[in-house]
Amino acid sequence: MPVQQNKSQFDKVFSSWDILVIAFGAMIGWGWVVQSGDWIEKAGVIGAMLGFLIGGVMIFFIGLTYAELTPAMPECGGEHVFSMRAMGPYGSFICTWAIILGYVSVVCFEACAFPTIISYLWPGFLKGYMYTIAGFKVYASWVAVAVVFAFLITIINLMGAKTAAILQTILTVAIGAAGILLVVASFITGSPSNLDGQVFNGSTNGTIIGNIIRVAAVSPFFFVGFDVIPQAAEEINIPLKKIGKVLLLSIVLAITFYALVIFAVGYVMDAKSIVNSYSASGLVTADAMAKAFHSEAMAKVIIIAGMCGIVTSWNSFMLGGSRAIYSMAESYMIPAAFKKLSPKHKTPTTAIWLIGILSMLAPFFGRQMLVWVSDAGNFGCVLAYFMVAMSFLILRKKEPNMARPYKVSHGMLCGTIAVITSGIMLFLYILPNSGAALAPQEWAIAGGWYVLGIFFIIGCKAVYKDKFGYYAPLNAMINGKPVEGAAPAGKAAASAVWSIEKSLGREEAAADDIPAMSSDFSYFLPVNIHFGAGKVSEVGTLASAYGKKAMIVTGGSSSKKSGLLYKINGLLDQAGMSTEIFDKVTPNPLTTTAMEGAAKAKDDSVEVIVAVGGGSVLDCAKAIAFMAKNDGDISDYIFGRKSSAAALPLVLIPTTCGTGSEANGFAVLTDPATGDKKSLRTPAIVAKDSIVDPDVMKTMPKSVLASVGFDALCHCMEAFTARNAQPVTDALCLYAIPLIAENLVRLYKGDDSDEAWAAITLGATFGGMVINTAGVTLAHGMEHPVSGKVNATHGKGLAALTPVVIESEFSHNRLKFGRIARMLGGFTAEDCAGEVRNLLSDIDLNITLTDLGIKKEDIPWLTENCLKVSAGNIKNTPGSYTKEDISRLYEAAL
C-alpha cells in the first residue's frame, strides 16, 4: 500500500500581518456597507453596537478554542485536524465537510455580490437580459463581470499563498482606510443630536433588550473568517504561540470595526435620514460618508471599499476552502486528486480550481439562489464551530499533557462557554423568526450537501479501505531561518571561558577540557545500523535474511495512520515473507503484553520480529523476541533470577527519535501487578539490523517530539557523566548532545529541514548506543517509578526530574557538567541545570511532578521503588545518594 507523504509540502510564507489581514479581511466583507441601516433600525445606534459586542463576545470564546488548538496542531486543514484528533474520522468528516460548505458558499456569493456593487456605481451597467431565477433578473453583463473576476481570483490563488496575501493586504488597508475616514469625519461633522430617538429602539426595557438580542443573534455570522487562519497553519512563518494571539486580535479588530461604523453612521445621520437612505439605495453607510464629507463623490469611496471587502472575503475563503479540501483528500475522505500541489507555487491546484469553477458557474443561478446557498453555508460554519469547541473540551480531557504553545486560561470554562454559544447559534438556525432561521430551500441545500458527503464516505471507504481517515500530524510551521532562542552549541563563547573559569578557580571545567582517558575499557555493540532517508525501503531485503515468517510489532494507531505499517507489510510481502501483526503495544509497555506477543510468536512459528514504532514498541518487540525463545516469566529475567542468550532475530524501525532502543540491548517494561518499571538487559535483544530513517520520524506530533527528544538528550548527558563512562561513549556523547539540543528546539519551533531531522535522529541513535555501555544515572532511575505509578510519558517525567537531579550532581563531576552547560549555552557547571530548564521552556516542557499527577504522599513509594528497580542507576551516578536524598529530590521536583 502506498505511503502518504508526511512532510509538509507547503511553503512557509505568511507573516503575522498576512494572517491578520486574511482573517480581518474575511470578516469585514461587504455587510458593513449594506446592512448598517438595518442594524440601527432594529436596535438603535448604541443598541446595535451592544448587539455586535454581544455577538463578538460569543465568537471570541469560540476563537479562544481555535487560538489554543491551532498552535497545538499547526497543520493544514484546521478544523479537520482538531476534530480528527478529538473525534476520529467520522466526526472530522462532518466538521470539515460543514466548513467547506461555508467557505464555498461565501466564495460563490461574493462572485454575485461583486457585479451587484458595480450596478450601484454604474446604473446603466446591466445589459443583455437573459432570464429570471427566483425573482432575480440575470443579465449577460452581470454574469460576464462575475465570471471574469472569479477567474482572476482563482489565478491569483494558484500563483501562491504569498501572492494572495499581498492582494489581501492592499485591499484590507483600503477598507480600513475608508472606515477610518468615515469614523473620523463623523466625529468632526456629526452631532450628538443625531442620536436623538435612535440610541435604542423600543418603548420598554423588554423591547429594547429584545431588539439588541435580535442584532446579537445575526452579528456572529459577520465574524465568520477568523477560522481561515488554522486552515493555512502550515504556511505560517511566525512562532506558534503568536498564532493564537493574532487570531484573537483579528476578532477584536472586527468587533471594533463594526461597532465604530455603526456609531459613525448614527452620529452623522439622524433617524429620518437613515430611514430614507435605507428605503432608497439601501447603502446607508455610503450615504453617511457623503454627508460626513458634504460630497456625494465620497459615497463611492465607501462603495469601492465594499468592493474591496467582497474580494477580501472571496480571497480568504477560497484560500481556506481549498486547504480544507486538501486536508480531506490527504485523509482519503474525498478523492486523492484533490491533494495535488503545484510544484512551483505549492498551492492545492485541484482544490482551488474546483472552488474557482464553482464560483464561475454561480452567477448563472442568480443572486437569490446564492443567498440561499450562503445561508446554508453559514449554518455549516456554525456547525463546525460547535464541533471545534467540543474537540477543545475533548482534547483537554483526553490529552491534558498535549503541548499547547498558546494555552487558554480556565480552559474548561472557556470551552464550555464556546460550546454553549455555538450551540445557541445553531439553535437560532432552527428557531423560527430568530433572524437566522433557514428557509426550506436552505435546508434542502444543506441536506443535499450532506447526502453528497455520505456518497463520498461510502465511495472512498470502498476505494481506499483502511486509508480512509488517514491522519499524519505535520509539525512544521516555520521554514528557513534559524529559530530564535535555540540553544547555542557553545563554541562562540568557548574562547572566553578558559580565563573566566581560571579566575574563578575552576580550571578543571574550562571550555577546552577533554575528559580524562581511561586506562582500560571495552566496547561491544553488535548491531548493524542502516541510517539515512529512504532506508526503510530495505526492510524486506534485511528481514528475509532471517526467515520466511515475520511478526510485525507496532502500536495501536500511529504507524497505521501514517501508512508506514502498510508499506512495511508490502515490502516484506515483496521479499517473499508472510507476516503476522501484533499491534497491542501501549506507551510504557507491560510485561503482560510482551508475554502475550511471545506466546503468539511461538504459536505462529515466527522466525523474525520486525518492530515499527517508538521506544515502547521497540522495547516490547525485544521482550517478545526474547520470550519467544525462552520459558517462564519475563520478570525472572528482568530481575536476574534467570538468564539466557537466546532470542528471535530483530529488525527495528524507530519512528521517534528518543529512546535509542534501536541501538542497545535494553527493553524497559512495567509489571502491572507491582508497578515495577525496570529493563530487561541482555545482548540477545540487540537488533540484528536497525533501520534509522529520518523521514519516518516526521509524523510525530510536536508534544511527542519534545518528549522523546528530551529523553534522547538525557541519555547522552547521563551516559557522559556516569561512573561507567569511557572514551568511546564520551566521544559519542560530545557529538550527540549539541546535535540533539540545537535541532530539538529548531524542529519544535518549526524549522523542519531535512538536515535538522537527520541530526536529531542520529543524535538519538547515538544516545541509545552510549547507554548500552555507560548506562544511565539517577534522573532515569527516579523517573521509572514515576511513569510506573501514574503512566506518565517518560520524557515528561525526565523533564520534571532532570534539572533538580543535576543541581545535586554537578559538584561531583564539575568538568563534565561544565562541558554540558557550555554545549547548551552556559559557562560553568553551576549553569547546567538552568540551561536545561531554558531548553525545556523552549519546547514547552518546563513541568513538575505535580503536573504529572504525583502527590506528596506518593514519595515514600516512589523512593522505595527507585531503590528496588534502579539500584544500578543510583550506583552509576556521580556522588552518593541515600534513601533520604532521593526522597528529598522527589519532593523538590513536585
Side-chain angles (χ1 to χ4, degrees), residues 193-213:
S193 63
N194 288 326
L195 296 175
D196 292 345
Q198 60 174 358
V199 173
F200 295 102
N201 184 18
S203 56
T204 65
N205 289 338
T207 56
I208 289 173
I209 293 171
N211 288 330
I212 292 172
I213 291 173

Side-chain angles (χ1 to χ4, degrees), residues 289-355:
M289 186 75 155
K291 188 170 183 180
F293 279 91
H294 307 293
S295 169
E296 290 299 323
M298 291 304 292
K300 296 192 185 305
V301 171
I302 289 295
I303 295 174
I304 292 170
M307 292 176 68
C308 293
I310 286 175
V311 177
T312 57
S313 292
W314 192 344
N315 191 47
S316 292
F317 287 113
M318 176 168 276
L319 187 150
S322 62
R323 272 57 176 181
I325 291 171
Y326 171 90
S327 69
M328 290 193 79
E330 264 207 319
S331 293
Y332 298 95
M333 292 175 165
I334 60 176
F338 288 104
K339 64 178 180 176
K340 179 183 177 183
L341 289 183
S342 162
K344 180 178 180 181
H345 301 297
K346 297 298 190 292
T347 51
T349 53
T350 310
I352 291 172
W353 272 118
L354 172 65
I355 300 176

Side-chain angles (χ1 to χ4, degrees), residues 68-220:
E68 177 170 301
L69 294 174
T70 302
M73 290 166 275
E75 306 158 38
C76 178
E79 291 90 346
H80 171 73
V81 176
F82 309 155
S83 54
M84 176 75 82
R85 189 153 176 175
M87 302 178 180
Y90 294 105
S92 178
F93 190 100
I94 294 170
C95 181
T96 317
W97 197 238
I99 204 73
I100 290 173
L101 172 61
Y103 291 158
V104 172
S105 69
V106 171
V107 170
C108 292
F109 180 79
E110 303 296 16
C112 294
F114 192 82
T116 301
I117 290 192
I118 293 179
S119 67
Y120 284 124
L121 289 169
W122 181 19
F125 160 69
L126 297 175
K127 302 291 184 182
Y129 170 77
M130 297 167 63
Y131 46 78
T132 299
I133 294 182
F136 183 85
K137 293 180 179 180
V138 180
Y139 289 87
S141 59
W142 188 86
V143 170
V145 167
V147 170
V148 168
F149 271 88
F151 179 77
L152 290 175
I153 295 293
T154 302
I155 295 302
I156 288 169
N157 274 268
L158 288 169
M159 289 171 61
K162 191 63 178 179
T163 304
I166 292 170
L167 173 66
Q168 193 79 359
T169 293
I170 294 169
L171 297 180
T172 303
V173 169
I175 299 167
I180 291 169
L181 275 176
L182 171 62
V183 172
V184 172
S186 71
F187 275 102
I188 296 171
T189 63
S191 169
S193 63
N194 288 326
L195 296 175
D196 292 345
Q198 60 174 358
V199 173
F200 295 102
N201 184 18
S203 56
T204 65
N205 289 338
T207 56
I208 289 173
I209 293 171
N211 288 330
I212 292 172
I213 291 173
R214 286 177 66 201
V215 173
V218 298
S219 64

Side-chain angles (χ1 to χ4, degrees), residues 716-723 725 777 809 813 816-817 820 876 878:
C716 297
M717 293 192 299
E718 291 180 41
F720 185 56
T721 56
R723 292 181 182 272
T777 57
E809 282 183 315
N813 194 339
K816 287 192 171 182
F817 280 103
I820 293 171
N876 198 28

Side-chain angles (χ1 to χ4, degrees), residues 260-281:
L260 287 175
V261 165
I262 291 169
F263 182 81
V265 170
Y267 198 68
V268 81
M269 296 179 73
D270 59 26
K272 184 177 179 181
S273 298
I274 290 176
V275 170
N276 291 338
S277 174
Y278 189 62
S279 60
S281 68

Side-chain angles (χ1 to χ4, degrees), residues 241 446 467 533 634 788:
K241 189 173 184 178
K467 291 203 293 185
I634 194 169

